[in-house]
Amino acid sequence: MRILLTHFRFALLKAWAEKRTPLMRLGLFVGITFVLGTAFSSSFQQEDFGKAAVGYLSEDAGTGGDAYFQQLTATPAFAGVATFEDVASFDEGRRRVADGELAALLHVTADYSADLAAGGGHATVHVYGEKYSGVDAIIVRAVVDGFNYGANTARAVDALGETLPDGALTGTALDVETVGQTREMTALTYYAVGMLLFLLLFGAEFGSFGVSEEHLGALASRTRLAPQRTWQMFTGKLAAFSLVTLAQGGLYVLITGVLLDVRWGDIPVVMLVVFSFGALAIALGMTLMLATGDMKKTTGLIQVCLIGFTFLGGGFIATGFGGAEQISPNTYARDALFGAIFGDQLATTWRNVGVLWAVVAVLGVVGVLMSRRKTA
Amino acid sequence: MIIEAEDLRKSFKATKAVAGVSLAIGEGETVGLLGPNGAGKSTTLNLLLGLVTADTGQVRILGEDTRRLSDEARRAIGFVPQEYAFFPELSGLANVTYWARLYGLRRRALDTAVRDALEFTGLWDRRKDAAKTYSGGMQRRLNISCGIVHNPKLLIMDEPTVGVDPQSRNHILDSVRTLSAGGATIVYTSHYMEEIQALCDRVVIMDGGKVVADGALEKVIRDNTDERVVLLETPSPEAARDATDQILRHGLLAAAETDVEGSTVVLRLPPDADFNDLAARVLALGLTLESIGERRPSLETVFLTLTGKKLRD
């Protein structure tokens, strides 16, 4: 434990002695956030409150799906806020949503009628929306929720005249599963999160440099002769550098909150996510260094990770990548942060924080094993 | 024995870096390890310390296999590598404290050891300055402080005086003498023969990955060269040149066996020549001489005899 604390303490001392670079980078990222948040603000704002274009597709084996859409599209109250359009296939609908032609795709699957007919059963209308599409997403959600509410009420009232089995009114017969977000996202909030994660991911450089100086070169021989274990060095430095990235992230949150008026929501939870993602970045850099044993290769790989993970995690462009974004830790951290900022999906936040720490643990084990292999 | 190495061999691809080195170093010895570039000195040091795994052979330090050294054995070893092994952005004090802590020193023992190590190398007054602001000589001395702060029984120093000014070199050499007098076992590599001659009571000369000479300094010199040099001190350079002409004219020695260094005539005796006989014949020439004497062969001569004069990479 004392050895671990020694590494922790001296890693902090070294970070303090070299504080200029992280502080300059912090300033740079605040500036980039301002530029991106300003430049892309129109993408997140509803310039005119015209009708939202909504696609719909029924693949129901029965008639329930078609009936649902007939009633929905014929409801005069909704015609003022949305235009409805039948799409030929699910793939076409998703593509048009992704391209921004449609605000959302309403989809009914083959089992819809069967589910509805089953005693006390649920039938689900799936709503696929462009993530973070702001007002349009809210309109679609309101339309579908409103219609379902009405339909469920009518069905319940109708059923009251009959002999109902126990529990028939305990749930709604029509349900909606929304994939799109209904958060009022601003460009500044979106890019503040993206750039925060980009900034934290630079912690991988901290990690790799921190390990390289004691794993390569003259310090390596003296370090390897000392009565200590690799895991003690790894853990001590990981903790110290994670604390440094936490401080860096905290300053970023403070500065963007004060200067750019970014709303960070639940700050303690945001800081937990920042700490977790910072630890992951540090562990990534350390493991790459221990695995390659080569500073040049490590730096190259870190650059690839920095750009690749940030891109896939939507840090540069607010869009999805057909599932590929799931391989980027930025995606998990981003969703965790949004959960904390908007306070509506804390379950996602906790789950993703768990994912981040699981990755840290795996990286730690791999790093220590790689280090042993190299020194054997 | 502090170090016992048996038939160490190590190759890097097609290159045999160490080709059968055996060494036994006893407690309190100060051993100089010499060799031209590429002789296998550094690889041997790394093998001794367990930093590189031998292809064959075994090394034991304090009776333990270096591949599985206990923490106790590790605490008994100090290493001063040729390159600077400290954190340049931290102060001298922080650097020495870091290594002291890693070696398990705590509280008062830590403070005392750190102070001693910094005073020992003359860095106490600059202890709070960042190491990167130190001169080359001071950085070399800090490198030593970091290696000795835990008061090791065995100290291995790899060219600790490379690139330092004469003052720092003297200080480092004095430090090594003090450590040696304190009972530490020291293995010291250097390109400077005079350092080895001044510090070590035993010398190991390596070439081509093998030990080509090993023994007490005097014995190695005596056993490995038959060079004998006679020095004739004359009053002036002109007198020295005149004396040389006379020696050559009378056929006492060949031209290749004579030289003039200022006012001194240097005569290299052939292996079968007798010093007294030559001295008598020189005196019989009636030369103006201030003194006549014999110069003992140096370690450098032995080194060049054993390893050749061909330039190395």
Side-chain angles (χ1 to χ4, degrees), chain A residues 10-350:
Chain A
F10 281 85
L12 282 182
L13 261 178
K14 278 185 281 176
W16 179 252
E18 294 175 328
K19 55 189 174 296
R20 188 187 291 180
T21 306
L23 285 175
M24 284 172 66
R25 188 172 285 158
L26 175 68
L28 178 70
F29 273 72
V30 171
I32 293 173
T33 304
F34 174 71
V35 170
L36 287 175
T38 308
F40 291 101
S41 61
S42 59
S43 306
F44 289 78
Q45 287 170 354
Q46 192 73 14
E47 296 294 343
D48 64 77
F49 289 88
K51 295 177 183 180
V54 180
Y56 64 90
L57 172 68
S58 172
E59 295 181 317
D60 185 18
T63 56
D66 287 336
Y68 176 89
F69 286 128
Q70 272 179 13
Q71 288 177 35
L72 175 72
T73 55
T75 304
F78 302 139
V81 292
T83 57
F84 295 96
E85 188 180 333
D86 193 4
V87 296
S89 68
F90 179 72
D91 288 341
E92 185 204 328
R94 289 302 304 272
R95 180 187 57 74
R96 292 182 65 189
V97 169
D99 291 346
E101 292 175 28
L102 299 174
L105 169 68
L106 310 183
H107 181 223
V108 164
T109 57
D111 299 331
Y112 178 83
S113 290
D115 289 343
L116 202 59
H122 285 261
T124 303
V125 177
H126 300 274
V127 181
Y128 295 93
E130 178 75 3
K131 280 200 167 186
Y132 321 119
S133 55
V135 175
D136 276 354
I138 297 170
I139 291 171
V140 174
R141 175 76 195 221
V143 165
V144 177
D145 276 349
F147 181 74
N148 286 356
Y149 179 75
N152 285 329
T153 307
R155 181 180 157 85
V157 170
D158 187 39
L160 278 172
E162 302 172 10
T163 305
L164 290 173
D166 288 345
L169 292 175
T170 55
T172 56
L174 278 173
D175 203 357
V176 60
E177 181 182 297
T178 308
V179 180
Q181 304 294 315
T182 57
R183 296 157 173 168
E184 288 197 64
M185 184 72 69
T186 66
L188 212 48
T189 303
Y190 185 84
Y191 283 110
V193 167
M195 287 302 107
L196 170 62
L197 296 178
F198 194 23
L199 174 69
L200 293 174
L201 206 51
F202 270 98
E205 286 185 349
F206 267 132
S208 63
F209 290 143
V211 169
S212 72
E213 59 186 356
E214 280 157 303
H215 198 69
L216 304 173
L219 269 166
S221 49
R222 195 175 261 168
T223 300
R224 282 162 58 192
L225 276 173
Q228 59 168 339
R229 310 284 173 271
T230 305
W231 69 265
Q232 293 171 320
M233 183 186 82
F234 194 98
T235 313
K237 283 175 177 278
L238 176 65
F241 290 139
S242 300
L243 212 57
V244 172
T245 53
L246 176 70
Q248 201 181 22
L251 280 173
Y252 178 88
V253 168
L254 181 70
I255 293 169
T256 52
V258 172
L259 293 184
L260 306 180
D261 201 25
V262 175
R263 307 280 169 81
W264 284 100
D266 190 338
I267 296 291
V269 180
V270 166
M271 295 319 292
L272 173 70
V273 179
V274 166
F275 182 67
S276 307
F277 189 71
L280 185 145
I282 304 291
L284 177 71
M286 286 179 161
T287 304
L288 287 175
M289 183 67 243
L290 291 170
T292 62
D294 184 312
M295 198 58 213
K296 262 189 182 171
K297 282 183 194 169
T298 304
T299 305
L301 286 170
I302 287 176
Q303 296 304 320
V304 170
C305 290
L306 271 169
I307 303 297
F309 287 163
T310 304
F311 184 72
L312 286 175
F316 301 128
I317 306 167
T319 185
F321 294 92
E325 64 269 22
Q326 297 302 318
I327 62 169
S328 166
N330 292 48
T331 304
Y332 299 95
R334 179 200 64 193
D335 290 347
L337 282 173
F338 284 148
I341 290 168
F342 293 103
D344 56 350
Q345 289 183 13
L346 277 175
T348 302
T349 301
W350 301 129

Side-chain angles (χ1 to χ4, degrees), chain B:
Chain B
M1 283 293 158
I2 295 282
I3 298 178
E4 295 167 275
E6 291 169 27
D7 195 28
L8 292 178
R9 290 172 194 274
K10 181 69 184 177
S11 296
F12 297 104
K13 294 183 180 168
T15 308
K16 281 185 182 174
V18 174
V21 167
S22 295
L23 277 176
I25 297 174
E27 193 164 353
E29 278 193 283
T30 301
V31 179
L33 185 58
L34 281 175
N37 290 338
K41 299 188 302 290
S42 293
T43 307
T44 301
L45 280 189
N46 285 331
L47 288 169
L48 292 180
L49 290 167
L51 297 172
V52 171
T53 308
D55 297 336
T56 61
Q58 196 183 26
V59 184
R60 299 180 79 79
I61 289 184
L62 298 162
E64 293 186 17
D65 189 326
T66 46
R67 289 168 298 184
R68 291 180 288 276
L69 283 178
S70 65
D71 284 354
E72 193 183 348
R74 287 173 187 276
R75 285 191 194 97
I77 302 171
F79 182 43
V80 180
Q82 188 176 340
E83 301 86 7
Y84 299 137
F86 52 76
F87 304 109
E89 68 276 14
L90 296 187
S91 68
L93 181 68
N95 269 293
V96 178
T97 305
Y98 172 76
W99 291 106
R101 281 183 175 277
L102 283 191
Y103 277 87
L105 297 174
R106 294 289 179 272
R107 297 192 180 93
R108 186 171 295 177
L110 176 109
D111 295 339
T112 306
V114 169
R115 184 175 184 124
D116 287 350
L118 285 167
E119 284 183 339
F120 187 72
T121 51
L123 292 173
W124 179 252
D125 291 342
R126 293 282 307 273
R127 65 189 181 280
K128 290 181 181 170
D129 296 341
K132 64 186 173 190
T133 66
Y134 289 2
S135 67
M138 291 169 77
Q139 292 189 345
R140 284 271 161 220
R141 278 143 54 197
L142 178 60
N143 212 23
I144 293 173
S145 291
C146 294
I148 63 166
V149 66
H150 58 293
N151 194 24
K153 264 187 176 178
L154 167 65
L155 180 62
I156 294 184
M157 308 178 87
D158 189 5
E159 311 233 11
T161 58
V162 167
V164 302
D165 55 85
Q167 287 80 4
S168 281
R169 175 182 290 182
N170 272 343
H171 192 104
I172 290 170
L173 297 184
D174 285 345
S175 305
V176 176
R177 280 192 201 96
T178 307
L179 290 167
S180 178
T185 304
I186 298 171
V187 178
Y188 189 100
T189 78
S190 176
H191 274 102
Y192 303 114
M193 305 294 162
E194 68 274 17
E195 284 185 10
I196 299 286
Q197 230 166 336
L199 293 174
C200 303
D201 43 38
R202 177 179 163 193
V203 63
V204 175
I205 300 177
M206 289 188 70
D207 195 23
K210 294 179 178 174
V211 173
V212 292
D214 179 7
L217 187 63
E218 293 300 324
K219 187 173 183 302
V220 166
I221 292 172
R222 197 170 56 241
D223 291 353
N224 289 286
T225 179
D226 49 12
E227 183 197 75
R228 286 175 303 156
V229 175
V230 175
L231 301 176
L232 308 177
E233 294 292 341
T234 68
S236 64
E238 291 76 25
R241 278 194 292 275
D242 182 52
T244 306
D245 289 344
Q246 296 241 38
I247 288 167
L248 293 175
R249 201 177 310 131
H250 287 86
L252 299 188
L253 288 170
E257 292 164 338
T258 63
D259 208 351
V260 174
E261 292 175 3
S263 58
T264 304
V265 180
V266 180
L267 306 177
R268 292 185 190 81
L269 270 64
D272 54 345
D274 180 69
F275 171 75
N276 292 329
D277 176 52
L278 181 76
R281 292 167 67 188
V282 166
L283 289 172
L285 294 176
L287 304 173
T288 311
L289 298 177
E290 293 189 336
S291 69
I292 181 167
E294 189 176 13
R295 184 167 74 189
R296 294 171 61 219
S298 66
L299 183 59
E300 185 167 351
T301 310
V302 173
F303 182 82
L304 291 172
T305 303
L306 289 171
T307 63
K309 292 182 179 177
K310 191 179 166 191
L311 292 174
R312 309 296 177 100
D313 291 330

